[in-house]
C-alpha cells in the first residue's frame, strides 16, 4: 500500500485551497496526494465573498464592486461599501491556476479517480479506490457526508438553491458599477426568493434566481423567473441575449452540530466540514479560514485541533433564523428586508462575516422585527 504524509480527497474549493497553502508553506516538503473524480478545470461555479484588505487569490479576481443594489419592500436602492469590497472569482480560473502549480511540484501527486471508501485501520487512515489503497498520517476529505443517513437528520432540512444564467446582451443594459445583492420576489410565490445579479460589463452578467426553502423547483421554473425579470427590469426579450453558461447550486443550510472528523485521522473539509454559513450559504472565505488553521496546526504542533467554524453566539443567530425561515417564512422575509433597510451594508456584512462585536449584534437585532428565540436552540448552542 502506498504511503503519503497527507492525502487530500476532493480537489474542489476546500481541497485545492488546502493544497495551495501547503504548497506555499514548509509543508510542501511532505509527500502529498491530491485526488478527485475529475481534474479537468470547469467554470461551474462563481465564488463571491467580501473582504477588507487585498484578498487571497487577488490575481484571480474576475470582478469586484464597492456598491450593491438591494430591493427592499419593492423599493430599489444602491448602498455603498466603505469597509469591504465584494469580490468574485470563477472556479475555472481557480482550478487551472492551482492544479497547474501542483503539477509542477515533485512532492504533489495528482490522481484522477473516484474515492470508494475512507476508513481507519487502527493505526492509519486509509483511502480506497477501485484499484488501489493509500494510507497517510492525515486525510482531508470533502467527498463524503459525515452524517449517518439513518440517524442524523437536520431539524430544518433547508437548502439555498439557485439557477443562474450567464448572458451576453445585444445592447448595453447593465450598470457595472454595482451588483444586485438581493432583489426580493415580492410575490412570495416560491417563499423567500430573490434575484442576484453580477454584471461583468454593460453587456454581460450572471443572473441567478435564489430560494431559501426545503423543496427544489423544476429547472424550468427558475429559468422562467429569470426570463420574466430580464424582460421587466431591462426590457430584454429572449432574442436580445444569448445564454453562455448555466450554473445550478443547492447549498445545505445545515443545522446539525459541527462534525470535524469523518473517522480518526480523516478531517472533514469545506461544506461537508460544516464550514458553510447556514443562514447565507457563503462558504469560500470560511474555507480560507479553515485551511489556514489546518496549516497553522500542522506547522506548529504537527497535529490537528479543529475549532468549530462559528462562535456559539453566531451559531445561535443562524439556528434562530433557520427556524424562522422553515416555520414562519413570511417573518423571515420581513427580517431580511428590515436588516437591509435599517443597516449599512458594511454592518450587515460585518455581522454575516461574524466579525461584529456584541454591541454591533444588539444593534442589528434591534433593527429587525421581534421574533421568538427558541429556547432549545439557545441551550444547544450555548452549552460548551
Ligand atoms: C454553483 C455554486 C455557486 C456557489 N457560489 C458561492 C459564492 O459565491 N460564495 C461562497 O462563499 N460560496 C459559494 N458556494 C458554496 C461553496 O463555496 C461551494 O459549494 C464550494 O465549492 C464548496 O467547496 P467544497 O470543497 O466543500 O466542495 P466542492 O468544491 O464541491 O469540492 C468537492 C470535490 O470532491 C470531489 N468528489 C466528491 N466525491 C468524490 C469521490 N467519491 N471521489 C473523488 N472525488 C470526489 C468533487 O468532484 C469536488 O471536486 C457556491 C456553491 C455552488 C454549488
Amino acid at each position: 500500500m502506498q504511503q503519503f504524509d497527507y492525502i487530500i480527497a476532493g480537489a474542489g474549493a476546500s481541497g485545492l485551497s488546502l493544497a495551495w497553502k501547503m504548497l506555499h508553506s514548509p509543508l510542501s516538503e511532505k509527500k502529498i496526494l491530491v485526488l478527485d473524480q475529475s481534474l479537468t478545470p470547469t467554470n461551474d461555479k462563481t465564488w463571491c465573498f467580501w473582504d477588507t484588505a487585498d484578498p487571497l487569490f487577488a490575481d484571480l479576481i474576475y470582478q469586484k464592486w464597492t456598491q450593491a443594489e438591494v430591493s427592499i419592500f419593492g423599493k430599489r436602492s444602491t448602498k455603498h461599501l466603505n469597509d469591504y469590497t465584494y469580490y468574485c472569482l470563477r472556479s475555472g480560473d481557480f482550478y487551472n491556476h492551482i492544479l497547474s502549480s501542483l503539477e509542477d511540484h515533485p512532492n504533489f501527486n495528482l490522481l484522477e479517480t473516484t474515492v470508494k471508501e475512507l476508513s481507519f485501520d487502527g493505526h492509519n487512515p486509509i483511502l480506497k479506490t477501485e484499484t488501489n489503497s493509500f494510507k497517510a498520517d492525515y486525510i482531508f476529505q470533502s467527498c463524503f457526508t459525515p452524517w449517518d443517513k439513518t440517524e442524523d437528520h437536520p431539524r430544518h432540512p433547508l437548502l439555498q438553491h439557485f439557477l443562474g444564467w450567464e448572458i451576453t446582451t445585444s445592447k448595453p443594459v447593465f450598470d457595472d458599477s454595482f451588483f444586485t445583492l438581493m432583489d426580493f420576489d415580492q410575490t412570495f410565490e416560491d417563499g423567500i426568493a430573490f434575484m442576484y445579479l453580477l454584471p461583468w460589463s454593460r453587456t454581460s452578467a450572471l443572473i441567478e434566481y435564489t430560494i431559501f426553502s426545503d423543496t427544489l423547483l423544476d429547472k424550468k421554473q427558475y429559468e422562467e423567473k429569470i426570463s420574466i425579470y430580464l424582460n421587466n427590469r431591462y426590457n430584454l426579450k429572449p432574442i436580445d441575449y444569448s445564454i453562455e453558461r448555466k450554473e445550478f447550486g443547492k447549498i445545505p443550510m445545515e443545522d446539525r452540530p459541527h462534525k470535524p472528523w469523518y473517522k480518526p485521522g480523516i478531517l472533514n473539509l469545506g461544506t461537508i466540514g460544516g464550514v458553510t454559513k447556514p443562514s447565507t450559504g457563503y462558504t469560500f472565505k470560511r474555507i480560507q479560514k479553515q485551511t489556514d488553521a489546518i496549516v497553522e496546526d500542522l506547522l506548529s504542533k504537527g497535529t490537528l485541533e479543529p475549532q468549530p467554524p462559528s462562535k456559539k453566539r453566531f451559531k445561535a443567530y443562524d439556528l434562530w433564523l433557520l427556524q424562522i425561515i422553515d416555520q414562519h417564512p413570511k417573518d423571515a422575509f420581513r427580517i431580511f428586508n428590515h436588516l437591509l433597510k435599517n443597516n449599512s451594508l458594511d454592518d450587515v456584512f460585518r455581522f454575516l462575516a461574524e466579525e461584529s462585536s456584541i454591541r454591533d449584534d444588539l444593534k442589528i437585532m434591534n433593527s429587525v422585527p421581534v421574533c421568538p428565540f427558541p429556547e432549545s436552540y439557545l441551550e444547544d448552542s450555548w452549552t460548551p
Side-chain angles (χ1 to χ4, degrees):
M1 191 185 306
Q2 250 186 297
Q3 167 124 29
F4 289 87
D5 292 306
Y6 307 130
I7 296 175
I8 299 176
S14 60
L16 287 185
S17 294
L18 179 62
W20 176 253
K21 288 166 193 183
M22 288 180 159
L23 179 71
H24 290 92
S25 82
L27 297 175
S28 62
E29 286 166 18
K30 303 278 184 185
K31 208 174 155 206
I32 300 168
L33 175 65
V34 180
L35 313 99
D36 200 288
Q37 57 205 0
S38 168
L39 290 171
T40 306
T42 47
N43 240 341
D44 58 347
K45 292 179 190 116
T46 312
W47 288 308
C48 290
F49 56 95
W50 56 93
D51 215 330
T52 46
D54 263 356
L56 191 67
F57 309 117
D59 295 346
L60 302 180
I61 297 299
Y62 186 66
Q63 186 60 282
K64 61 181 180 181
W65 299 270
T66 51
Q67 295 189 90
E69 181 191 61
V70 286
S71 173
I72 305 156
F73 298 124
K75 257 181 85 182
R76 240 173 255 298
S77 66
T78 308
K79 295 192 161 226
H80 289 261
L81 282 165
N82 298 308
D83 302 338
Y84 292 102
T85 300
Y86 197 74
Y87 295 102
C88 178
L89 55 86
R90 290 148 79 89
S91 61
D93 296 339
F94 176 86
Y95 299 139
N96 239 324
H97 183 67
I98 299 183
L99 286 171
S100 55
S101 309
L102 298 178
E103 267 167 19
D104 292 341
H105 198 286
N107 291 350
F108 284 81
N109 297 264
L110 298 179
L111 187 59
E112 189 171 84
T113 187
T114 299
V115 179
K116 291 285 177 203
E117 193 188 304
L118 295 170
S119 58
F120 181 70
D121 70 359
H123 301 284
N124 283 99
I126 309 284
L127 181 150
K128 285 196 179 128
T129 67
E130 196 71 65
T131 50
N132 277 308
S133 295
F134 305 95
K135 66 177 171 181
D137 291 346
Y138 282 116
I139 296 179
F140 302 93
Q141 76 93 15
S142 51
C143 301
F144 301 131
T145 174
W147 308 108
D148 181 337
K149 281 200 184 90
T150 52
E151 288 168 16
D152 299 322
H153 296 292
R155 227 183 282 197
H156 304 290
L158 290 165
L159 295 168
Q160 180 190 136
H161 47 109
F162 51 89
L163 189 143
W165 285 351
E166 193 162 285
I167 59 169
T168 305
T169 60
S170 53
K171 49 188 177 182
V173 290
F174 302 116
D175 183 340
D176 56 2
S177 65
F178 62 83
F179 70 102
T180 301
L181 178 65
M182 289 175 132
D183 188 344
F184 284 105
D185 182 359
Q186 300 291 329
T187 67
F188 210 72
E189 280 167 2
D190 301 312
I192 303 172
F194 56 91
M195 288 293 167
Y196 172 68
L197 190 140
L198 304 173
W200 307 136
S201 70
R202 304 266 295 135
T203 54
S204 69
L206 172 69
I207 173 166
E208 289 181 354
Y209 182 56
T210 304
I211 306 168
F212 295 159
S213 77
D214 57 4
T215 319
L216 296 181
L217 303 186
D218 193 86
K219 296 246 164 93
K220 285 229 154 26
Q221 292 173 279
Y222 303 88
E223 301 201 278
E224 201 177 300
K225 283 283 184 184
I226 297 174
S227 161
I228 292 169
Y229 186 82
L230 288 173
N231 186 23
N232 292 349
R233 173 94 201 258
Y234 298 103
N235 196 20
L236 287 172
K237 312 277 178 272
I239 195 167
D240 300 321
Y241 54 86
S242 55
I243 303 169
E244 311 295 345
R245 191 179 69 83
K246 293 183 184 181
E247 181 170 311
F248 176 73
K250 50 179 164 69
I251 307 175
M253 302 174 87
E254 188 59 73
D255 62 5
R256 288 170 285 192
H258 176 227
K259 263 198 181 180
W261 299 100
Y262 182 76
K263 299 258 167 73
I266 305 177
L267 194 90
N268 299 318
L269 273 190
T271 294
I272 61 169
V275 165
T276 297
K277 171 94 173 152
S279 57
T280 64
Y282 282 98
T283 313
F284 190 80
K285 180 90 190 292
R286 291 160 68 94
I287 283 176
Q288 305 317 318
K289 248 176 136 175
Q290 185 193 30
T291 47
D292 281 345
I294 291 170
V295 170
E296 219 175 286
D297 272 358
L298 290 175
L299 285 175
S300 61
K301 301 181 253 207
T303 55
L304 294 172
E305 284 173 28
Q307 300 300 311
S310 295
K311 282 191 185 144
K312 286 178 180 175
R313 73 174 203 277
F314 291 110
K315 178 87 181 174
Y317 306 149
D318 276 335
L319 295 177
W320 166 69
L321 193 59
L322 292 192
Q323 192 244 2
I324 298 172
I325 293 174
D326 193 25
Q327 293 177 355
H328 310 280
K330 285 219 156 132
D331 286 341
F333 181 64
R334 283 169 50 232
I335 288 175
F336 281 116
N337 276 286
H338 278 91
L339 179 74
L340 291 167
K341 177 167 170 264
N342 298 333
N343 298 285
S344 75
L345 201 52
D346 283 309
D347 286 347
V348 173
F349 276 1
R350 200 176 343 275
F351 177 70
L352 296 178
E354 305 183 356
E355 290 164 355
S356 50
S357 65
I358 291 182
R359 183 192 287 244
D360 297 332
D361 298 356
L362 289 175
K363 188 174 158 260
I364 293 270
M365 291 300 172
N366 279 331
S367 73
V368 299
V370 179
C371 290
F373 211 117
E375 276 176 28
S376 56
Y377 275 166
L378 272 176
E379 282 159 20
D380 284 1
S381 19
W382 287 90
T383 312

